[in-house]
């Protein structure tokens, strides 16, 4: 929202400086984002042409002798080369001296030669100073204009522009009158805008209005006959240009001016271009289009509110008018419209069409319903003053705005919510100055407050407290320390939150980068990773390749790693902790920690090395990541079991799933299947894992008694090797588990060190060799002890797997 200082002072009588006004606006919640002090025209001075003679080498150029005042001339007139057709002796114009920046041509002037003749500046046109589009000649001022003075100061162009940032709850501040009201209520001046005098008019408006859409709450229309439409006055054009608007003609400029002056958008129709005797406010029909004032043709959404005549839509309600019925220099009779629209409907239509206008900005926030007819009267008065004409009586259709319910404000509420001790009379005074109606309450300790029509954001007593607080000053609220807790702090985060945080840290310490991806994937990716059910497809996806809820974290992580590879970062390790979706029920949502490593992004490093290229990631890198995440989640990793196969999107021979007990699957890891990667358009080697955090058991509370962290045996460990012949399909882990359970007190570790197939064993068998470490606790083991434990190990392995000890 932009406005000039002089424009503000049309509504506010104040002696405050620009800086004081800016500081007060910010303290009121209307934060000043920028101030343009309009210094760009300050260097230009008023100068008189003393003599004009033809350039010796150019027919269309003249060499001028210019008087710019004693401060500039220093006893000697300036020589200026000029090509303007109206340049002549005696002309008083505007001079730009060397070193001056000319905004209209984006050039800084210097001393130069034009066709061999030196020129010490430039006589300027209005377009070169961005005063208008006129450039057929240089500026021709009145003969009595003071030579040597600043042109901008003399012309009143030094008018600072203030830009404020508005929050959506302040539609009243979309008009300069509302901003002045806030400043006056804060004590920085007096609001001097008088009430709008109604215009009686003569005769009925010949054009009827038919309200056929609930989007329009009220519609006022008036015809003004015999107008003379032309350029708007200079003061209006200067203000509109200062806030970034291009002047068009008087009728259009009046509507733009009132949009900013009062926050009241209006529209004007050329009455001669309106077909029929009725304007229909209705919903757009299927296939209906409109050529709008911005020169673009819009296909109107069915049901969007439009104003139409007998030929079709002439205006997009509350957003933009149509070009066909627009006013130009030939307009003689004008229809002025002031309407009240449903904010949500205007916002929806504007968003659908992609149109952002000053009118939409105000209507979707809510304009003052009580200023509908006064706004029409004010526009009519300006049209008559600037363009002449004879107005008819106003035609008004639609209902009155509902009366607002009073809000009870206890006198202690301000102090209770803000800590500010504001006397109740001061509270009442502040609200009254802001336009609120303050009545006596049901008791002396409260008041009944009715919000004004221009404040649709006021809904309860907390809103009233906010109004008092911002006028008293937020800076007056004393900071208060938080109370110290008397007891031992309780845990704030839930177990799941703590677990997620711990897992994230564990994976980050392994050199992986955390990614945050969409909860959606393409249909192709969903089906590749076990999803694609109809119940998980989105009815209104934000993009065609984000059509399904993700069944796994891996598709998006693979896609992210692939994008990095194409950007020149092939060795990437990414992880994410988030939700996946297996069905549309709450039970189908799972919390998962997933990650991928691509290329040579191993934990121990990757990429090029002096000893040669590093190996690609493999199943063991994924296994290491999964176990680290499980351990961080509090899972007893020493009790985990591994089995194959994992899910079908993993490589069948280079993947596994992790279980705790016979049924609980805690994780899956491995290299991703080449066909799945091809289906996703990914290249290279990917090692991936997913840990199902919801399945991880919560760690049991440990006993309070202290236990030694590490118990070491004073006796030398003993290692024994065993080689077993087993069927080829028996997993080595089953032998390890069986051997470990033979004597848990004595056996410390069991490790596979050799696997052999073929030869004398035949096609259906293999040899698995294990190393068993025995840890004696109270004495050195004897031969009899070793034979006994060896027998237990052989018997346990044979019972669990059917293996036989090889000789």
């Amino acid at each position: 929202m932009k406005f000039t200082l002089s424009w503000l002072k049309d509504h506010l009588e104040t002696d405050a400086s620009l800086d004081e006004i800016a500081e007060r606006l910010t303290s009121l919640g209307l934060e000043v984002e920028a101030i343009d002090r309009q210094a760009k025209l300050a260097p230009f001075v008023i100068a008189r042409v003393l003599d004009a003679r033809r350039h010796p080498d150019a027919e269309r150029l003249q060499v001028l002798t210019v008087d710019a005042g004693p401060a500039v001339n220093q006893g000697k007139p300036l020589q200026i080369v000029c090509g303007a057709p109206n340049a002549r002796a005696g002309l008083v114009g505007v001079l730009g001296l060397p070193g001056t920046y000319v905004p209209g041509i984006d050039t800084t002037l210097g001393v130069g030669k034009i066709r061999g003749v030196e020129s010490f500046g430039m006589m300027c046109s209005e377009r070169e100073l961005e005063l208008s589009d006129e450039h057929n000649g240089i500026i021709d001022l009145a003969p009595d204009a003071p030579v040597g003075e600043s042109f901008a100061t003399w012309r009143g162009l030094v008018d600072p522009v203030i830009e404020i940032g508005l929050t959506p709850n302040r539609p009243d501040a979309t008009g300069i009158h509302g901003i002045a009201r806030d400043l006056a209520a804060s004590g920085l001046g007096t609001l001097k805008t008088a009430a709008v005098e109604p215009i009686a008019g003569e005769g009925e408006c010949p054009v009827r209005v038919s309200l056929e859409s609930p989007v329009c709450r009220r519609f006022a229309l008036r015809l003004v006959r015999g107008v003379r439409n032309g350029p708007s006055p200079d003061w209006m054009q200067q203000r509109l240009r200062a806030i970034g608007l291009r002047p068009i003609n008087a009728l259009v400029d009046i509507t733009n001016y009132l949009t900013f002056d009062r926050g009241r958008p209006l529209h004007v129709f050329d009455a001669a271009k309106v077909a029929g005797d009725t304007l229909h406010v209705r919903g757009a029909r299927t296939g209906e289009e409109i050529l709008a004032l911005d020169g673009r043709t819009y296909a109107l959404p069915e049901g969007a509110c439009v104003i139409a005549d007998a030929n079709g839509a002439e205006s997009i309600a509350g957003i933009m008018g149509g070009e066909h019925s627009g006013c130009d220099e030939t307009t003689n009779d004008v229809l002025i419209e002031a309407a009240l629209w449903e904010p949500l409907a205007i916002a929806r239509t504007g968003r659908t069409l992609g149109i952002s206008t000053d009118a939409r900005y105000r209507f979707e926030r809510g304009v003052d319903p009580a200023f509908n007819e006064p706004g029409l009267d004010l526009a009519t008065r300006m049209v008559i003053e600037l363009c002449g004409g004879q107005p008819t009586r106003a035609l008004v259709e639609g209902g009155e705005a509902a009366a607002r319910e009073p809000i009870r404000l206890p006198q202690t509420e301000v102090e209770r919510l803000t800590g500010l001790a504001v006397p109740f009379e001061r509270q009442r005074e502040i609200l009254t100055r802001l336009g609120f109606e303050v009545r006596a309450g049901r008791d002396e300790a409260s008041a009944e407050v009715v919000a004004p029509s221009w404040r649709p954001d006021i809904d309860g007593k907390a809103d009233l407290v906010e109004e008092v607080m911002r006028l008293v000053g937020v800076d007056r609220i004393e900071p208060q320390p938080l109370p110290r807790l008397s007891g031992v702090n309780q845990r704030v985060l839930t177990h799941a939150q703590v677990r997620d945080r711990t897992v994230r840290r564990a994976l980050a310490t392994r050199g992986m980068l955390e990614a945050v991806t969409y909860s959606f994937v393409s249909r192709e990716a969903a089906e590749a990773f076990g999803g694609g059910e109809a119940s998980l497809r989105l009815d209104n996806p934000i993009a065609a390749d984000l059509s399904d809820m993700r069944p796994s974290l891996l598709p998006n992580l693979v896609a992210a790693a692939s994008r990095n590879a194409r950007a020149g970062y092939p060795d990437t390790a990414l992880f994410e902790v988030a939700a996946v979706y297996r069905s549309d029920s709450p039970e189908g949502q799972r919390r998962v920690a997933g990650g991928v490593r691509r290329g040579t992004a191993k934990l121990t490093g990757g990429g090029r090395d002096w000893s040669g290229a590093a190996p690609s990631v493999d199943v063991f890198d994924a296994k290491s990541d999964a176990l680290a995440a499980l351990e961080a989640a509090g899972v007893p990793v020493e009790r985990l079991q591994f089995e194959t196969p994992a899910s079908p999107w993993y490589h069948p021979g280079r993947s596994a799933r992790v279980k705790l007990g016979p049924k609980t699957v805690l994780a899956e890891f491995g290299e991703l299947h080449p066909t799945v990667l091809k289906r996703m358009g990914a290249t290279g080697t990917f090692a991936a894992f997913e840990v199902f955090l919801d399945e991880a058991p919560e760690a049991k509370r440990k006993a309070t008694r202290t236990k030694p962290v590490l118990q070491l045996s004073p006796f030398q460990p003993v290692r024994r090797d065993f080689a077993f012949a087993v069927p080829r399909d028996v997993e080595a882990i089953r032998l390890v588990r069986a051997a470990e359970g033979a004597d848990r007190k004595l056996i410390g570790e069991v490790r596979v060190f050799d696997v052999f197939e073929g030869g004398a064993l035949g096609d259906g068998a293999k040899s698995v060799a294990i190393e068993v470490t025995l840890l004696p606790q109270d004495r050195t083991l004897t031969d009899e002890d070793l034979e006994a434990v060896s027998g237990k190990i052989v018997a346990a392995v044979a019972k669990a797997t059917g293996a036989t000890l090889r000789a």
Side-chain angles (χ1 to χ4, degrees):
M1 175 65 186
K2 292 182 178 180
F3 55 92
T4 68
L5 182 60
S6 66
W7 200 344
L8 176 68
K9 289 186 176 182
D10 280 355
H11 300 281
L12 181 71
E13 185 174 342
T14 180
D15 295 327
S17 67
L18 175 62
D19 291 335
E20 289 173 332
I21 291 173
E23 183 179 356
R24 184 63 57 86
L25 285 170
T26 299
S27 70
L28 290 172
L30 306 175
E31 183 178 2
V32 175
E33 295 183 339
I35 297 178
D36 181 359
R37 298 181 185 269
Q38 293 290 293
K40 62 183 179 182
L41 298 183
F44 295 91
V45 297
I46 299 173
R48 185 187 305 275
V49 178
L50 302 177
D51 179 52
R53 64 185 186 278
R54 180 181 163 185
H55 191 288
D57 292 329
E59 204 175 298
R60 296 187 178 182
L61 297 180
Q62 297 187 75
V63 180
L64 310 180
T65 304
V66 176
D67 175 17
V72 175
N73 290 107
Q74 296 182 354
K76 181 181 179 181
L78 297 176
Q79 179 173 283
I80 306 291
V81 177
C82 179
N86 65 332
R88 65 188 186 277
L91 178 143
V92 178
V94 180
L95 173 66
L97 296 168
T100 300
Y101 174 74
V102 184
I105 57 175
D106 192 23
T107 300
T108 299
L109 300 176
V111 177
K113 284 188 176 182
I114 302 177
R115 295 287 184 94
V117 177
E118 280 192 314
S119 181
F120 296 87
M122 176 183 182
M123 298 297 288
C124 301
S125 68
E126 291 191 356
R127 188 171 73 172
E128 287 158 348
L129 299 187
E130 294 184 337
L131 298 178
S132 73
D133 293 331
E134 177 61 44
H135 64 288
N136 291 326
I138 57 178
I139 297 173
D140 192 350
L141 300 177
D144 59 350
V147 174
E149 289 193 11
S150 168
F151 168 69
T153 302
W154 175 77
R155 185 74 173 269
L157 299 177
V158 182
D159 192 4
V161 178
I162 305 169
E163 182 176 3
I164 63 174
L166 291 182
T167 52
N169 67 318
R170 292 300 307 276
D172 61 302
T174 60
I176 300 169
H177 178 265
I179 296 170
R181 184 195 298 118
D182 260 22
L183 289 170
S186 72
L188 202 68
T190 304
L191 190 66
K192 62 181 183 180
T193 309
V196 177
E197 290 291 332
I199 292 180
E202 295 182 5
E204 299 293 333
C205 179
V207 179
R208 302 289 92 191
V209 175
S210 174
L211 296 187
E212 303 162 18
S213 171
V215 173
C216 183
R217 293 152 56 181
R218 195 167 177 85
F219 195 100
L221 189 69
R222 169 181 279 133
L223 176 69
V224 182
R225 295 186 177 94
V227 299
R228 297 178 302 279
N229 192 20
S232 56
D234 288 345
W235 63 267
M236 181 179 287
Q237 292 192 36
Q238 289 173 14
R239 287 182 176 179
L240 293 177
R241 285 196 183 94
I243 63 175
L245 295 181
R246 181 175 63 89
I248 298 173
N249 56 57
L251 292 174
V252 175
D253 291 353
I254 287 169
T255 63
N256 289 333
Y257 185 85
L258 290 178
T259 297
F260 282 83
D261 188 70
R262 294 300 185 104
R264 174 66 253 189
L266 303 109
H267 187 63
V268 288
F269 299 89
D270 187 329
K273 299 175 182 177
V274 175
D277 60 356
T278 304
L279 288 178
H280 299 269
V281 183
R282 58 170 174 80
R285 295 163 183 162
T286 303
E288 195 166 16
E289 294 183 341
I290 185 173
L291 176 61
L293 286 171
D294 61 359
R296 297 175 58 187
T297 299
Y298 294 94
L300 297 170
E302 187 175 357
C305 190
V306 298
I307 303 174
D309 62 6
N311 292 332
E314 291 291 350
S315 174
I316 308 172
I319 298 176
M320 185 180 290
E323 188 172 278
H324 174 264
S325 59
C327 295
D328 54 30
E329 65 277 0
T330 65
T331 300
N332 291 318
D333 299 337
V334 60
L335 286 166
I336 307 175
E337 164 251 307
L340 191 63
W341 310 101
E342 191 63 41
L344 289 179
I346 300 302
R348 188 182 304 112
T349 301
R351 186 169 58 250
T352 302
L353 295 175
I355 304 176
S356 180
T357 62
D358 294 320
R360 174 195 163 186
Y361 181 85
R362 285 155 178 81
F363 279 124
E364 68 185 6
R365 283 160 174 77
V367 301
D368 182 2
F371 198 70
N372 196 57
E373 283 79 75
L376 178 65
D377 289 333
L378 185 57
T380 304
R381 189 174 303 280
M382 293 188 72
V383 168
I384 295 171
E385 290 176 355
L386 301 181
C387 305
Q390 182 64 44
T392 66
R393 289 192 289 270
L395 171 68
V396 181
E397 297 288 347
E400 297 280 350
R404 306 194 68 173
E405 294 294 325
I407 303 169
R408 180 177 179 271
L409 177 66
Q411 66 175 358
T412 58
E413 194 70 5
V414 171
E415 186 169 4
R416 185 181 74 84
L417 293 181
T418 68
L420 292 172
V422 182
F424 200 39
E425 283 305 313
R426 171 69 172 145
Q427 298 179 36
R428 297 164 65 99
E429 177 194 354
I430 288 173
L431 293 172
T432 301
R433 295 183 69 177
L434 285 171
F436 291 77
E437 181 184 351
V438 183
R439 309 170 183 165
R442 291 176 298 218
D443 52 59
E444 294 182 357
S446 67
E448 299 286 333
V449 181
V450 180
S453 59
W454 58 81
R455 292 301 301 272
D457 58 305
I458 303 298
D459 191 51
K461 58 185 178 181
D463 298 321
L464 301 177
V465 171
E466 182 182 359
E467 294 302 298
V468 174
M469 177 187 68
R470 70 185 184 90
L471 263 74
V472 170
V474 179
D475 54 339
R476 288 190 52 192
I477 299 177
E478 293 291 336
Q480 299 292 329
L482 292 173
R484 181 182 293 274
L485 298 176
S486 57
V488 178
N489 292 349
Q490 299 296 315
R491 187 173 71 177
V492 176
L493 300 179
T494 65
H495 168 70
Q497 291 170 327
V498 173
R499 180 190 60 203
D500 286 2
R501 179 177 294 183
T502 307
V503 171
R504 284 190 177 97
R505 289 178 177 174
L507 294 175
T509 58
R510 296 178 61 80
M512 304 188 79
L513 301 176
E514 184 172 9
V516 179
T517 66
Y518 282 116
S519 297
F520 321 116
V521 294
S522 65
R523 181 74 46 77
E524 183 80 4
E527 293 173 350
F529 284 83
E533 293 85 355
S535 62
L536 293 178
R537 294 173 187 170
L538 302 177
D539 292 334
N540 187 26
I542 60 176
D545 58 347
L546 298 173
S547 59
D548 289 48
M549 300 299 292
R550 62 183 175 196
S552 166
L553 297 179
L554 300 184
N556 286 336
L557 292 177
V558 169
S562 298
R563 286 193 296 271
N564 277 275
R566 289 192 293 270
Y569 299 93
D571 307 314
T572 309
L574 303 174
F575 78 91
E576 184 172 9
V577 180
V580 300
Y581 307 88
R582 287 292 179 177
S583 70
D584 58 352
S585 65
E587 295 76 18
Q589 180 174 327
R590 307 176 72 182
R591 194 74 178 169
V592 176
V596 297
R597 291 182 183 269
R598 185 193 184 278
T600 63
K602 288 178 169 287
L603 175 62
T604 55
R608 295 182 298 173
D609 188 78
W610 67 270
S611 61
S616 298
V617 293
D618 55 26
V619 60
F620 298 106
D621 296 300
K623 176 183 178 181
S624 180
D625 291 331
L627 290 179
L630 287 168
E631 186 173 13
V635 175
V637 293
E638 68 279 358
R639 293 165 47 195
L640 297 178
Q641 302 174 15
F642 300 85
E643 69 175 25
T644 57
S647 295
W649 48 89
Y650 289 99
H651 193 295
R654 302 173 189 171
S655 62
R657 59 180 42 170
V658 184
K659 301 178 71 174
L660 185 63
K663 296 182 179 180
T664 305
V665 179
L666 293 179
E668 290 186 331
F669 62 86
E671 297 177 29
L672 293 179
H673 201 292
T675 59
V676 173
L677 294 176
K678 183 178 180 180
R679 193 172 178 182
M680 294 194 62
T683 59
T685 304
F686 283 83
F689 70 91
E690 282 190 297
V691 174
F692 312 119
L693 298 175
D694 295 334
E695 301 296 332
E698 187 171 354
K700 297 180 180 178
R701 291 183 178 273
K702 297 182 179 180
T704 55
R705 59 195 179 106
T706 303
K707 291 185 178 180
V709 177
L710 179 64
Q711 293 180 346
L712 297 177
S713 172
F715 303 100
Q716 184 74 16
V718 179
R719 292 178 175 84
R720 283 283 190 260
D721 296 341
F722 299 86
F724 293 96
V726 296
R728 193 171 184 177
D729 59 349
V730 174
E731 299 168 345
I733 190 66
R734 294 175 59 188
L735 277 76
V736 172
R737 296 299 187 209
E740 288 176 341
D743 190 333
R744 295 193 178 277
K745 291 184 179 181
L746 193 57
I747 297 174
E749 182 184 12
V750 179
R751 187 174 64 88
V752 177
F753 69 88
D754 183 61
V755 178
F756 172 74
E757 297 181 6
L761 295 173
D763 293 337
K766 65 181 176 181
S767 172
V768 179
I770 61 175
E771 179 188 73
V772 180
T773 302
L774 304 175
L775 300 175
Q777 300 297 320
D778 53 0
R779 60 186 176 84
T780 303
L781 299 178
T782 63
D783 290 341
E784 291 79 9
D785 296 330
L786 294 175
E787 289 298 329
V789 73
S790 297
K792 291 180 180 180
I793 293 171
V794 172
V797 172
K799 180 178 180 181
T801 65
T804 58
L805 186 66
R806 294 185 64 198

